[in-house]
Amino acid sequence: MNKNVSKYASEHWSNSDYKVRAEIAHQKSVCVATSVVRKAVLETFEKAFCLGEEEMKHKATEAFRHFVEDYCNESGRKDIAAESEHYLKVFNELINA
């Protein structure tokens, strides 16, 4: 606590009053610190969640690409394999909607 505040407190407040006010000030500073930490944790979680979501979309797109390009070609559906870019575009629009 600031020296001027301490001097004022000692001159104008009783000892118990000073202790209560000091405890209130301490609790307020703890609440502010907790709020700042909570906000930082939530922002970090949100960023991680978004990165995880993007990674999942990327993996899904790659799996769909493999299916359209390789499996359809190997199974004789060359018409679908030939139009793979169109199907990938539609797939990406659907998962990003």
Side-chain angles (χ1 to χ4, degrees):
M1 190 178 290
N2 180 316
K3 285 183 182 182
N4 291 335
V5 172
S6 294
K7 182 178 179 184
Y8 175 85
S10 65
E11 292 172 357
H12 294 74
W13 298 338
S14 68
N15 195 32
S16 61
D17 208 21
Y18 174 78
K19 287 180 182 178
V20 169
R21 290 173 190 256
E23 180 61 27
I24 290 170
H26 172 72
Q27 291 299 325
K28 284 182 180 179
S29 65
V30 168
C31 288
V32 169
T34 302
S35 177
V36 169
V37 169
R38 184 180 296 128
K39 182 179 178 187
V41 168
L42 289 174
E43 287 174 355
T44 302
F45 176 76
E46 185 176 293
K47 287 176 186 175
F49 181 78
C50 289
L51 288 174
E53 183 179 18
E54 289 302 314
E55 184 178 338
M56 288 173 54
K57 286 179 182 179
H58 177 73
K59 286 181 179 182
T61 302
E62 289 306 308
F64 188 72
R65 178 187 305 280
H66 172 68
F67 171 76
V68 170
E69 292 177 352
D70 299 338
Y71 180 77
C72 290
N73 198 29
E74 292 170 7
S75 67
R77 295 299 310 258
K78 296 187 186 305
D79 57 325
I80 294 175
E83 295 291 322
S84 64
E85 288 304 316
H86 167 72
Y87 291 111
L88 286 167
K89 180 181 174 190
V90 171
F91 179 79
N92 278 320
E93 288 172 2
L94 290 171
I95 66 171
N96 289 314

